[in-house]
Amino acid sequence: MAKRKNRKVTTKKKKMTKVNLRAKRNYKDTVFRMLFSDKRNLLSLYNAMNRTAYDDPEKLEIVTLENAIYMGVKNDLAFIIDTGLFLYEHQSTYNANMPLRDLFYISSEYQELVDRESLYASKIQKIPAPNFIVFYNGTEKKDERWENYLSEAYENCPNEPGLELKVITFNINEGHNKELMEQCQILGEYAQYVTKVRNYAKDIELDSAVEKAVNECIQEGILAEFLRKNKARVIAMSIFEYDKELEEKKLRKAEFEAGEINAKKEIANSFHKMGLPVSRIAEGLNVSEQKILEWISKESR
């Protein structure tokens, strides 16, 4: 087993003041990460994922690198148990680049864990086997689970890639992966909380929706102790998370629409060069003739 360096993982505590929580944009943490930074909850999740029955949270060593940030995003949770190293990540929007992100992260993690001098010895340096898991609660994908591979990003991928990394994603929206939710009560209750926030946010302001969801969960015994203890912080983080999720969806929609327009422009100009009349091109692309003429004139400049 790799020699582990003694590292104290610290979490900065932010002083809460009564402010306009919608505008509070410095909450980079998530409710998921906050919940499962508690070793007891994390061990419950690990047991549910792996069908094990560990009962001592101290068997689990949290090794999350607080300073390992790639493009402003840090890994949610990293921990070692037995001979395995587990990277748990929470995502509210689908990200096909998770294998590449995890590659950068696991490299930093191994640099921290190994005795670098031993890399020059004749004896093989043992390291904990990596496991990459994402817990997804976005609304884009409906599958129960799926896998992404690093090799999918290769421009020219051989039959047996020299470097591979697999990320398994589990859908943790309410109603999905029921057995997992039943085995890990905290995860199931977290899914219920997220559902309440989303449902209320359809009809009322986000600030009010989150606060209503928190109060209702406390009354119904859903994450009650956690929410009572961390109410103000959870509300602030939930508003930030939900806003961020909506912003990312809007950005993706804008990118898609921009790409669609560019594609239509190219098609319009190609058809024009082939001699098709503007009226036919406009009909085929479902845009106005004026727009077609605009695209053609810009191309000819």
Side-chain angles (χ1 to χ4, degrees):
M1 186 60 167
K3 180 179 177 181
R4 303 175 194 164
K5 296 183 180 181
N6 292 324
R7 295 180 293 136
K8 186 176 181 180
V9 180
T10 58
T11 304
K12 292 182 180 178
K13 294 184 178 179
K14 294 185 170 91
K15 184 178 180 181
M16 283 293 299
T17 56
K18 192 165 184 177
V19 295
N20 180 354
L21 294 178
R22 179 184 289 280
K24 193 74 171 174
R25 309 298 276 177
N26 61 334
Y27 285 90
K28 302 301 183 185
D29 219 336
T30 65
V31 176
F32 179 92
R33 189 175 189 270
M34 190 176 175
L35 264 173
F36 291 102
S37 290
D38 182 312
K39 280 189 174 184
R40 292 169 301 174
N41 294 342
L42 185 56
L43 185 62
S44 171
L45 180 56
Y46 172 82
N47 282 334
M49 292 288 296
N50 296 277
R51 301 178 184 275
T52 51
Y54 288 98
D55 57 7
D56 181 6
E58 296 309 311
K59 294 282 186 183
L60 183 153
E61 179 188 356
I62 295 179
V63 293
T64 309
L65 301 175
E66 297 297 330
N67 61 343
I69 299 178
Y70 175 67
M71 292 180 68
V73 181
K74 63 185 177 184
N75 177 260
D76 284 328
L77 292 161
F79 63 95
I80 292 174
I81 187 166
D82 284 342
T83 57
L85 171 57
F86 294 82
L87 269 60
Y88 281 2
E89 184 84 18
H90 166 260
Q91 292 284 314
S92 58
T93 53
Y94 174 66
N95 189 330
N97 292 308
M98 284 307 302
L100 188 56
R101 279 178 50 177
D102 276 342
L103 174 64
F104 293 136
Y105 190 89
I106 196 65
S107 298
S108 298
E109 191 70 67
Y110 281 146
Q111 286 178 4
E112 289 288 319
L113 291 174
V114 302
D115 180 350
R116 297 182 189 185
E117 292 182 6
S118 66
L119 295 178
Y120 298 93
S122 58
K123 185 179 178 181
I124 190 169
Q125 168 72 65
K126 294 292 185 178
I127 54 176
N131 301 266
F132 306 96
I133 307 293
V134 171
F135 297 94
Y136 170 83
N137 70 342
T139 56
E140 299 160 274
K141 293 178 72 69
K142 306 298 182 184
D143 301 339
E144 292 290 291
R145 55 164 282 172
W146 59 89
E147 298 175 358
N148 292 102
Y149 294 86
L150 181 64
S151 57
E152 293 168 357
Y154 296 157
E155 290 189 3
N156 263 318
C157 183
N159 292 331
E160 293 185 15
L163 178 64
E164 187 61 283
L165 188 154
K166 178 175 74 173
V167 176
I168 305 175
T169 300
F170 291 84
N171 190 333
I172 59 167
N173 281 297
E174 193 173 17
H176 291 270
N177 286 298
K178 292 183 179 179
E179 184 179 353
L180 175 61
M181 300 293 192
E182 290 170 0
Q183 292 295 320
C184 182
Q185 182 180 346
I186 295 294
L187 186 65
E189 292 183 8
Y190 170 71
Q192 292 178 59
Y193 166 70
V194 171
T195 297
K196 287 182 182 293
V197 172
R198 286 199 176 122
N199 286 340
Y200 288 137
K202 294 174 184 176
D203 302 315
I204 59 179
E205 288 292 317
L206 180 57
D207 305 55
S208 301
V210 172
E211 188 165 4
K212 185 174 181 179
V214 168
N215 290 334
E216 190 171 292
C217 282
I218 291 173
Q219 291 173 2
E220 296 178 2
I222 299 169
L223 299 178
E225 182 181 349
F226 169 79
L227 292 175
R228 268 194 294 265
K229 184 178 178 182
N230 304 285
K231 185 175 180 178
R233 189 178 175 194
V234 167
I235 290 174
M237 285 191 293
S238 296
I239 292 171
F240 174 81
E241 285 185 76
Y242 197 83
D243 269 350
K244 182 171 178 287
E245 180 183 346
L246 292 177
E247 286 170 6
E248 288 179 354
K249 285 181 180 177
K250 288 177 184 176
L251 177 62
R252 291 187 183 192
K253 183 181 178 183
E255 288 174 343
F256 173 79
E257 289 174 349
E260 192 176 49
I261 290 172
N262 286 333
K264 286 186 175 182
K265 285 180 182 178
E266 291 180 10
I267 294 170
N269 281 289
S270 295
F271 283 166
H272 174 66
K273 289 174 183 177
M274 292 168 60
L276 266 69
V278 170
S279 59
R280 291 288 304 278
I281 298 172
E283 182 182 356
L285 295 177
N286 195 29
V287 296
S288 68
E289 291 186 25
Q290 182 180 354
K291 183 60 70 175
I292 297 295
L293 289 170
E294 181 185 325
W295 289 345
I296 290 171
S297 63
K298 283 183 178 179
E299 178 71 14
S300 61
R301 288 176 190 170

